[in-house]
Coordinates of all heavy atoms in Angstrom, one line a residue:
M1 N 7.0 29.6 -4.3 CA 6.7 28.2 -3.8 C 7.8 27.6 -3.0 O 9.0 27.8 -3.4 CB 6.3 27.4 -5.0 CG 5.6 26.1 -4.6 SD 5.4 25.0 -6.0 CE 4.2 25.8 -7.0
E2 N 7.4 27.0 -2.0 CA 8.5 26.3 -1.1 C 9.2 25.2 -1.9 O 8.6 24.5 -2.7 CB 7.8 25.8 0.1 CG 8.8 25.7 1.3 CD 8.1 25.1 2.5 OE1 7.0 25.3 2.8 OE2 8.8 24.2 3.2
E3 N 10.4 25.0 -1.5 CA 11.2 24.0 -2.2 C 10.8 22.6 -1.8 O 10.3 22.4 -0.7 CB 12.6 24.2 -1.6 CG 13.7 23.7 -2.6 CD 15.1 24.0 -1.9 OE1 15.2 24.5 -0.8 OE2 16.1 23.6 -2.6
I4 N 10.9 21.7 -2.7 CA 10.6 20.3 -2.5 C 11.9 19.5 -2.7 O 12.4 19.4 -3.8 CB 9.5 19.7 -3.4 CG1 8.2 20.6 -3.3 CG2 9.2 18.3 -3.1 CD1 7.2 20.2 -4.4
R5 N 12.5 19.0 -1.6 CA 13.7 18.3 -1.7 C 13.6 16.8 -1.6 O 12.7 16.3 -0.9 CB 14.7 18.7 -0.6 CG 15.2 20.1 -0.7 CD 16.2 20.4 0.3 NE 16.7 21.8 0.2 CZ 17.7 22.3 0.9 NH1 18.3 21.5 1.8 NH2 18.1 23.5 0.7
L6 N 14.5 16.1 -2.3 CA 14.5 14.6 -2.2 C 14.9 14.3 -0.7 O 15.8 14.9 -0.2 CB 15.6 14.1 -3.1 CG 15.5 12.7 -3.6 CD1 14.2 12.4 -4.3 CD2 16.7 12.3 -4.5
G7 N 14.1 13.4 -0.1 CA 14.4 13.0 1.2 C 13.7 13.8 2.3 O 13.8 13.6 3.5
D8 N 12.9 14.8 1.8 CA 12.1 15.6 2.8 C 11.1 14.7 3.5 O 10.5 13.7 3.0 CB 11.2 16.6 2.0 CG 11.8 17.9 1.7 OD1 13.0 18.1 2.1 OD2 11.2 18.8 1.1
L9 N 11.0 14.9 4.8 CA 10.0 14.2 5.7 C 8.9 15.2 5.8 O 9.1 16.3 6.4 CB 10.6 13.9 7.0 CG 9.6 13.2 8.0 CD1 9.2 11.8 7.4 CD2 10.3 13.0 9.3
I10 N 7.7 14.9 5.3 CA 6.6 15.9 5.3 C 5.4 15.3 6.1 O 5.3 14.1 6.2 CB 6.2 16.3 3.9 CG1 5.7 15.1 3.1 CG2 7.3 16.9 3.1 CD1 4.3 15.4 2.4
Q11 N 4.6 16.2 6.5 CA 3.3 15.8 7.1 C 2.2 16.3 6.2 O 2.2 17.4 5.6 CB 3.2 16.6 8.4 CG 2.0 16.1 9.2 CD 1.9 16.8 10.6 OE1 2.6 17.7 10.9 NE2 1.0 16.3 11.4
T12 N 1.2 15.4 5.9 CA 0.1 15.7 5.1 C -1.1 16.2 5.9 O -1.2 15.9 7.1 CB -0.3 14.5 4.2 OG1 -0.5 13.4 5.0 CG2 0.7 14.2 3.1
R13 N -2.0 17.0 5.2 CA -3.2 17.5 5.9 C -4.1 16.3 6.4 O -4.6 16.3 7.4 CB -4.0 18.4 5.0 CG -3.2 19.6 4.7 CD -4.0 20.6 3.8 NE -3.0 21.6 3.3 CZ -2.7 22.7 4.1 NH1 -3.1 22.8 5.3 NH2 -1.8 23.5 3.6
K14 N -4.2 15.3 5.5 CA -5.0 14.2 5.8 C -4.1 13.0 6.0 O -3.2 12.7 5.3 CB -5.9 13.9 4.5 CG -7.4 13.8 4.9 CD -8.2 13.6 3.6 CE -8.8 12.2 3.5 NZ -9.6 12.1 2.3
G15 N -4.4 12.3 7.1 CA -3.6 11.1 7.4 C -3.9 9.9 6.4 O -4.9 9.9 5.8
H16 N -2.9 9.0 6.3 CA -3.2 7.8 5.5 C -4.0 6.9 6.3 O -4.0 6.9 7.6 CB -1.8 7.2 5.3 CG -1.8 6.3 4.1 ND1 -1.1 5.1 4.1 CD2 -2.3 6.4 2.9 CE1 -1.3 4.5 2.9 NE2 -2.0 5.3 2.1
P17 N -4.8 6.0 5.7 CA -5.6 5.0 6.4 C -4.9 4.2 7.4 O -5.4 3.7 8.4 CB -6.2 4.2 5.3 CG -6.3 5.1 4.1 CD -5.1 6.0 4.2
C18 N -3.6 4.0 7.2 CA -2.7 3.2 8.1 C -2.5 3.9 9.4 O -2.0 3.3 10.4 CB -1.4 2.8 7.4 SG -0.2 4.1 7.4
G19 N -2.8 5.2 9.5 CA -2.7 5.9 10.8 C -1.5 6.9 10.7 O -1.5 7.8 11.6
S20 N -0.7 6.8 9.8 CA 0.5 7.7 9.7 C 0.1 9.0 8.9 O -0.7 8.9 7.9 CB 1.7 7.0 9.1 OG 2.7 7.9 8.9
D21 N 0.7 10.1 9.2 CA 0.5 11.3 8.4 C 1.9 11.8 7.9 O 2.0 12.9 7.5 CB -0.3 12.3 9.1 CG 0.3 12.9 10.3 OD1 1.4 12.4 10.7 OD2 -0.2 13.8 10.9
R22 N 2.8 10.9 8.0 CA 4.2 11.3 7.6 C 4.7 10.6 6.4 O 4.4 9.4 6.3 CB 5.2 11.1 8.8 CG 4.8 12.0 9.9 CD 5.8 11.9 11.0 NE 5.4 12.9 12.0 CZ 6.2 13.4 12.9 NH1 7.5 12.9 13.0 NH2 5.8 14.3 13.8
W23 N 5.3 11.3 5.5 CA 5.8 10.7 4.2 C 7.2 11.2 3.9 O 7.5 12.3 4.3 CB 4.8 11.2 3.1 CG 3.4 10.8 3.3 CD1 2.5 11.4 4.2 CD2 2.7 9.8 2.6 NE1 1.3 10.8 4.1 CE2 1.3 9.9 3.1 CE3 3.0 8.9 1.6 CZ2 0.3 9.0 2.6 CZ3 2.0 8.1 1.1 CH2 0.7 8.1 1.6
T24 N 7.9 10.3 3.2 CA 9.2 10.7 2.7 C 9.2 11.0 1.2 O 8.6 10.2 0.5 CB 10.3 9.6 3.0 OG1 10.1 9.2 4.4 CG2 11.6 10.1 2.8
V25 N 9.8 12.0 0.8 CA 9.8 12.3 -0.7 C 10.9 11.5 -1.3 O 12.1 11.6 -0.9 CB 10.1 13.8 -0.9 CG1 10.2 14.1 -2.4 CG2 9.0 14.7 -0.3
I26 N 10.5 10.6 -2.2 CA 11.5 9.8 -2.8 C 11.8 10.1 -4.3 O 12.6 9.5 -4.9 CB 11.1 8.2 -2.7 CG1 9.8 8.0 -3.3 CG2 11.1 7.8 -1.2 CD1 9.4 6.5 -3.5
R27 N 11.0 11.0 -4.9 CA 11.3 11.4 -6.2 C 10.7 12.8 -6.4 O 9.6 13.1 -6.0 CB 10.6 10.5 -7.2 CG 11.0 10.7 -8.7 CD 9.9 10.2 -9.7 NE 9.9 11.2 -10.8 CZ 10.5 11.0 -11.9 NH1 11.3 10.0 -12.1 NH2 10.5 12.0 -12.8
I28 N 11.5 13.7 -7.1 CA 11.0 15.0 -7.4 C 11.2 15.3 -8.8 O 11.8 14.5 -9.6 CB 11.8 16.1 -6.6 CG1 13.3 16.1 -6.9 CG2 11.5 15.9 -5.1 CD1 14.0 17.3 -6.2
G29 N 10.6 16.3 -9.3 CA 10.6 16.7 -10.7 C 9.2 17.2 -11.1 O 8.5 17.8 -10.3
A30 N 8.8 16.9 -12.3 CA 7.4 17.2 -12.7 C 6.4 16.5 -11.9 O 5.3 17.0 -11.5 CB 7.2 16.9 -14.2
D31 N 6.7 15.3 -11.5 CA 5.9 14.4 -10.6 C 6.7 14.2 -9.3 O 7.9 14.0 -9.3 CB 5.5 13.1 -11.3 CG 4.6 13.3 -12.4 OD1 3.5 14.0 -12.2 OD2 4.8 12.8 -13.5
I32 N 5.9 14.2 -8.3 CA 6.5 13.9 -6.9 C 6.1 12.6 -6.5 O 4.9 12.2 -6.6 CB 6.0 15.0 -5.9 CG1 6.1 16.4 -6.5 CG2 6.7 14.8 -4.6 CD1 7.5 16.9 -6.7
K33 N 7.0 11.8 -6.0 CA 6.7 10.5 -5.4 C 6.9 10.5 -3.9 O 8.0 10.9 -3.5 CB 7.5 9.4 -6.0 CG 6.7 8.4 -6.9 CD 7.6 7.3 -7.3 CE 7.1 6.7 -8.6 NZ 8.0 5.6 -9.1
I34 N 6.0 10.1 -3.1 CA 6.2 10.1 -1.7 C 5.9 8.7 -1.2 O 5.1 7.9 -1.7 CB 5.3 11.1 -0.9 CG1 3.8 10.9 -1.2 CG2 5.8 12.5 -1.3 CD1 2.9 11.9 -0.4
K35 N 6.5 8.3 0.0 CA 6.4 7.0 0.6 C 5.9 7.2 2.0 O 6.4 7.9 2.7 CB 7.8 6.3 0.6 CG 7.7 4.9 1.0 CD 9.1 4.3 0.9 CE 9.1 2.9 1.5 NZ 10.4 2.3 1.5
C36 N 4.8 6.4 2.3 CA 4.2 6.5 3.6 C 5.2 6.0 4.7 O 5.7 4.9 4.5 CB 2.9 5.8 3.6 SG 2.1 5.7 5.3
C37 N 5.4 6.7 5.7 CA 6.3 6.2 6.8 C 5.7 5.1 7.7 O 6.3 4.4 8.4 CB 6.7 7.4 7.7 SG 7.8 8.6 6.9
G38 N 4.3 5.0 7.5 CA 3.6 4.0 8.3 C 3.6 2.6 7.7 O 4.1 1.6 8.2
C39 N 3.2 2.6 6.4 CA 3.1 1.3 5.7 C 3.9 1.1 4.5 O 3.9 0.0 3.9 CB 1.6 1.1 5.4 SG 1.0 2.3 4.1
G40 N 4.6 2.1 4.1 CA 5.5 2.0 3.0 C 4.9 2.2 1.6 O 5.6 2.0 0.6
R41 N 3.7 2.5 1.6 CA 3.0 2.7 0.3 C 3.5 3.9 -0.4 O 3.8 4.9 0.2 CB 1.5 2.9 0.6 CG 0.7 3.5 -0.5 CD -0.6 2.8 -0.8 NE -1.0 3.2 -2.1 CZ -2.1 2.8 -2.7 NH1 -2.8 1.9 -2.1 NH2 -2.5 3.2 -3.9
I42 N 3.7 3.8 -1.7 CA 4.2 4.8 -2.5 C 3.1 5.5 -3.4 O 2.3 4.8 -4.0 CB 5.3 4.3 -3.4 CG1 6.5 4.0 -2.6 CG2 5.7 5.4 -4.5 CD1 7.6 3.1 -3.3
V43 N 3.0 6.8 -3.3 CA 2.0 7.5 -4.1 C 2.7 8.6 -5.0 O 3.6 9.2 -4.6 CB 1.0 8.2 -3.1 CG1 0.0 9.1 -3.9 CG2 0.3 7.2 -2.2
M44 N 2.2 8.7 -6.2 CA 2.8 9.6 -7.1 C 1.7 10.7 -7.4 O 0.5 10.4 -7.6 CB 3.2 9.0 -8.4 CG 4.0 9.9 -9.3 SD 4.9 9.0 -10.6 CE 3.8 9.1 -11.9
M45 N 2.2 12.0 -7.5 CA 1.2 13.0 -7.8 C 2.0 14.2 -8.4 O 3.2 14.2 -8.4 CB 0.5 13.5 -6.5 CG 1.5 14.1 -5.5 SD 0.7 14.4 -3.9 CE 0.7 12.7 -3.2
D46 N 1.2 15.1 -9.0 CA 2.0 16.2 -9.6 C 2.3 17.3 -8.5 O 1.8 17.2 -7.4 CB 1.3 16.8 -10.8 CG -0.1 17.5 -10.5 OD1 -0.2 18.0 -9.4 OD2 -1.0 17.4 -11.3
R47 N 3.1 18.2 -8.9 CA 3.6 19.2 -8.0 C 2.5 20.0 -7.2 O 2.5 20.2 -6.0 CB 4.5 20.1 -8.7 CG 5.7 20.6 -7.9 CD 6.5 21.6 -8.7 NE 7.2 22.4 -7.8 CZ 8.4 22.1 -7.4 NH1 9.1 21.1 -7.9 NH2 9.0 22.8 -6.5
A48 N 1.5 20.4 -8.0 CA 0.5 21.2 -7.5 C -0.3 20.4 -6.4 O -0.7 21.0 -5.4 CB -0.5 21.7 -8.6
E49 N -0.6 19.2 -6.7 CA -1.3 18.3 -5.8 C -0.5 18.1 -4.5 O -1.0 18.1 -3.4 CB -1.6 17.0 -6.5 CG -2.3 16.0 -5.7 CD -3.8 16.3 -5.4 OE1 -4.3 17.1 -6.2 OE2 -4.4 15.9 -4.5
F50 N 0.8 17.9 -4.7 CA 1.7 17.7 -3.5 C 1.6 18.9 -2.6 O 1.5 18.7 -1.4 CB 3.1 17.4 -4.0 CG 4.1 17.3 -2.9 CD1 4.4 16.1 -2.3 CD2 4.8 18.5 -2.5 CE1 5.3 16.1 -1.3 CE2 5.8 18.4 -1.5 CZ 6.0 17.2 -0.9
V51 N 1.7 20.1 -3.2 CA 1.7 21.3 -2.4 C 0.4 21.4 -1.6 O 0.4 21.9 -0.5 CB 2.1 22.5 -3.3 CG1 1.8 23.8 -2.5 CG2 3.5 22.5 -3.8
K52 N -0.6 21.0 -2.3 CA -2.0 21.1 -1.7 C -2.1 20.1 -0.5 O -2.7 20.5 0.5 CB -3.0 20.7 -2.7 CG -4.1 21.8 -2.9 CD -5.3 21.2 -3.7 CE -4.9 20.8 -5.1 NZ -6.1 20.3 -5.9
R53 N -1.5 19.0 -0.6 CA -1.6 18.0 0.4 C -0.7 18.2 1.6 O -0.9 17.7 2.7 CB -1.4 16.6 -0.2 CG -2.5 16.1 -1.1 CD -2.4 14.6 -1.2 NE -3.1 14.1 -2.4 CZ -3.2 12.8 -2.6 NH1 -2.7 12.0 -1.8 NH2 -3.8 12.5 -3.7
R54 N 0.4 18.8 1.3 CA 1.5 19.0 2.3 C 1.0 20.0 3.4 O 0.6 21.1 3.0 CB 2.8 19.4 1.7 CG 3.9 19.6 2.7 CD 5.2 20.0 2.1 NE 5.1 21.2 1.3 CZ 6.0 21.8 0.6 NH1 7.2 21.2 0.5 NH2 5.8 22.9 0.0
K55 N 1.1 19.6 4.6 CA 0.8 20.5 5.7 C 2.1 21.2 6.1 O 2.1 22.4 6.2 CB 0.3 19.7 6.9 CG -0.4 20.5 7.9 CD -1.1 19.6 8.9 CE -1.5 20.3 10.2 NZ -1.9 19.3 11.2
K56 N 3.1 20.5 6.3 CA 4.4 21.1 6.6 C 5.6 20.1 6.3 O 5.4 18.9 6.2 CB 4.5 21.6 8.0 CG 4.4 20.5 9.0 CD 4.6 21.1 10.4 CE 4.6 20.0 11.5 NZ 4.9 20.5 12.8
T57 N 6.7 20.7 6.2 CA 8.0 19.9 6.1 C 8.5 19.7 7.5 O 8.8 20.7 8.1 CB 9.0 20.6 5.2 OG1 8.4 20.8 3.9 CG2 10.2 19.7 5.0
I58 N 8.6 18.5 7.9 CA 9.1 18.2 9.3 C 10.7 18.3 9.3 O 11.3 18.9 10.1 CB 8.6 16.9 9.8 CG1 7.1 16.9 9.9 CG2 9.3 16.5 11.1 CD1 6.5 15.6 10.0
E59 N 11.2 17.6 8.2 CA 12.7 17.6 8.1 C 13.0 17.7 6.6 O 12.6 17.0 5.8 CB 13.2 16.3 8.7 CG 14.5 16.3 9.3 CD 14.9 14.9 9.8 OE1 14.3 14.5 10.7 OE2 15.9 14.4 9.3
Q60 N 13.9 18.7 6.4 CA 14.2 18.9 5.0 C 15.4 18.1 4.5 O 16.3 17.8 5.3 CB 14.6 20.4 4.8 CG 14.6 20.9 3.3 CD 14.7 22.4 3.2 OE1 15.5 23.0 3.8 NE2 13.9 23.0 2.4
G61 N 15.3 17.6 3.3 CA 16.3 16.8 2.7 C 17.6 17.5 2.6 O 17.7 18.7 2.6
P62 N 18.8 16.8 2.5 CA 20.1 17.4 2.5 C 20.5 18.2 1.3 O 21.3 19.1 1.3 CB 21.0 16.2 2.7 CG 20.3 15.0 2.2 CD 18.8 15.3 2.3
V63 N 20.0 17.8 0.1 CA 20.4 18.3 -1.1 C 19.4 19.3 -1.7 O 18.2 19.0 -1.8 CB 20.7 17.2 -2.2 CG1 21.2 17.8 -3.5 CG2 21.6 16.2 -1.7
P64 N 19.8 20.6 -2.0 CA 18.9 21.5 -2.6 C 18.2 21.0 -3.8 O 18.8 20.2 -4.6 CB 19.8 22.7 -3.0 CG 21.0 22.6 -2.1 CD 21.2 21.1 -1.9
E65 N 16.9 21.4 -4.0 CA 16.1 20.8 -5.1 C 16.8 21.0 -6.5 O 16.8 20.1 -7.3 CB 14.8 21.5 -5.0 CG 13.8 21.0 -6.1 CD 12.5 21.7 -6.1 OE1 12.3 22.6 -5.3 OE2 11.7 21.3 -7.0
A66 N 17.3 22.2 -6.7 CA 17.9 22.6 -8.0 C 19.1 21.6 -8.3 O 19.2 21.2 -9.4 CB 18.3 24.0 -8.0
E67 N 19.8 21.3 -7.3 CA 21.0 20.4 -7.5 C 20.5 19.0 -7.8 O 21.1 18.4 -8.7 CB 21.8 20.4 -6.2 CG 23.0 19.5 -6.2 CD 24.1 19.9 -7.1 OE1 24.1 21.1 -7.5 OE2 24.9 19.0 -7.5
T68 N 19.5 18.5 -7.2 CA 19.0 17.2 -7.5 C 18.4 17.1 -8.9 O 18.7 16.2 -9.7 CB 17.8 16.8 -6.5 OG1 18.3 16.8 -5.2 CG2 17.3 15.4 -6.8
L69 N 17.7 18.2 -9.3 CA 17.1 18.2 -10.6 C 18.2 18.2 -11.7 O 18.1 17.7 -12.8 CB 16.2 19.4 -10.8 CG 14.9 19.3 -9.9 CD1 14.2 20.6 -10.1 CD2 14.1 18.2 -10.3
R70 N 19.3 18.9 -11.4 CA 20.4 19.1 -12.3 C 21.1 17.7 -12.5 O 21.4 17.3 -13.6 CB 21.4 20.1 -11.8 CG 22.4 20.6 -12.8 CD 23.2 21.7 -12.2 NE 24.0 21.3 -11.1 CZ 25.2 20.7 -11.2 NH1 25.7 20.5 -12.4 NH2 25.8 20.3 -10.1
Q71 N 21.2 17.0 -11.4 CA 21.8 15.6 -11.5 C 20.9 14.7 -12.3 O 21.4 13.8 -13.0 CB 22.0 15.1 -10.1 CG 23.2 15.7 -9.4 CD 23.3 15.3 -7.9 OE1 22.5 14.5 -7.4 NE2 24.2 16.0 -7.2
M72 N 19.6 14.9 -12.1 CA 18.7 14.0 -12.8 C 18.7 14.1 -14.3 O 18.5 13.2 -15.0 CB 17.2 14.2 -12.2 CG 16.9 13.5 -10.9 SD 15.4 14.2 -10.2 CE 14.2 14.1 -11.5
T73 N 18.8 15.3 -14.8 CA 18.8 15.6 -16.2 C 20.1 15.1 -16.8 O 20.2 14.8 -18.0 CB 18.7 17.1 -16.5 OG1 19.7 17.8 -15.9 CG2 17.3 17.6 -16.1
G74 N 21.2 14.9 -16.0 CA 22.4 14.4 -16.5 C 23.1 15.4 -17.4 O 24.0 15.0 -18.2
Q75 N 22.8 16.6 -17.4 CA 23.4 17.6 -18.2 C 24.3 18.5 -17.3 O 24.1 19.7 -17.3 CB 22.4 18.4 -19.0 CG 21.7 17.6 -20.0 CD 20.4 18.2 -20.6 OE1 20.0 19.3 -20.1 NE2 19.9 17.6 -21.6
S76 N 25.2 17.9 -16.6 CA 26.0 18.7 -15.7 C 27.3 19.0 -16.2 O 28.2 19.5 -15.4 CB 26.0 17.9 -14.3 OG 26.6 16.7 -14.5
E77 N 27.6 18.7 -17.4 CA 29.0 18.9 -17.9 C 29.3 20.4 -17.8 O 28.5 21.3 -18.0 CB 29.2 18.4 -19.4 CG 28.5 19.3 -20.4 CD 27.4 18.6 -21.1 OE1 26.6 17.9 -20.4 OE2 27.3 18.8 -22.3
G78 N 30.6 20.7 -17.5 CA 31.0 22.1 -17.4 C 30.8 22.6 -16.1 O 31.1 23.8 -15.8
G79 N 30.2 21.9 -15.2 CA 29.9 22.4 -13.9 C 31.0 22.4 -12.9 O 31.2 23.3 -12.1
T80 N 31.9 21.4 -13.1 CA 33.0 21.3 -12.1 C 34.3 21.8 -12.8 O 34.5 21.5 -14.0 CB 33.2 19.9 -11.6 OG1 33.1 19.0 -12.7 CG2 32.1 19.6 -10.6
P81 N 35.2 22.4 -12.0 CA 36.5 22.8 -12.6 C 37.4 21.7 -13.0 O 37.3 20.6 -12.4 CB 37.1 23.7 -11.5 CG 36.4 23.4 -10.3 CD 35.1 22.7 -10.6
Ligands
ZN1 ZN1 0.3 4.4 5.2

């Protein structure tokens, strides 16, 4: 499965009623939260649903998904020298 990064700019198969079909990923994990680039509306869905709706990733976020998830859990002790 393709990676889902925080900050990804994605295009959905179906456009939003506001006319935009671009969204920014603002939360990842078990649930994915995306924000409409047209009207700012935030939608939450599970991972499988997100993958179904996503047509393509236009611009990938800067931090690898695994790294973001590791930071989110707060169990990063022992990681740095
Ligand atoms: Zn919208």
Side-chain angles (χ1 to χ4, degrees):
M1 193 189 289
E2 205 186 320
E3 206 180 2
I4 304 169
R5 291 186 182 186
L6 202 61
D8 273 1
L9 179 65
I10 63 129
Q11 186 177 13
T12 50
R13 293 180 192 284
K14 230 174 114 181
H16 201 225
C18 76
S20 175
D21 61 357
R22 296 186 175 198
W23 301 74
T24 309
V25 176
I26 59 170
R27 191 205 141 93
I28 60 171
D31 291 311
I32 312 291
K33 247 189 205 175
I34 58 174
K35 188 177 172 187
C36 178
C37 291
C39 65
R41 162 137 194 176
I42 291 168
V43 176
M44 190 162 96
M45 65 190 76
D46 65 32
R47 214 184 157 93
E49 179 71 21
F50 174 86
V51 169
K52 235 192 300 179
R53 289 203 201 183
R54 181 179 59 184
K55 193 170 167 192
K56 64 171 182 177
T57 303
I58 296 165
E59 209 179 297
Q60 197 169 46
V63 183
E65 182 183 1
E67 176 67 18
T68 303
L69 294 176
R70 198 172 61 84
Q71 284 170 8
M72 277 166 51
T73 56
Q75 292 167 351
S76 56
E77 76 246 41
T80 45

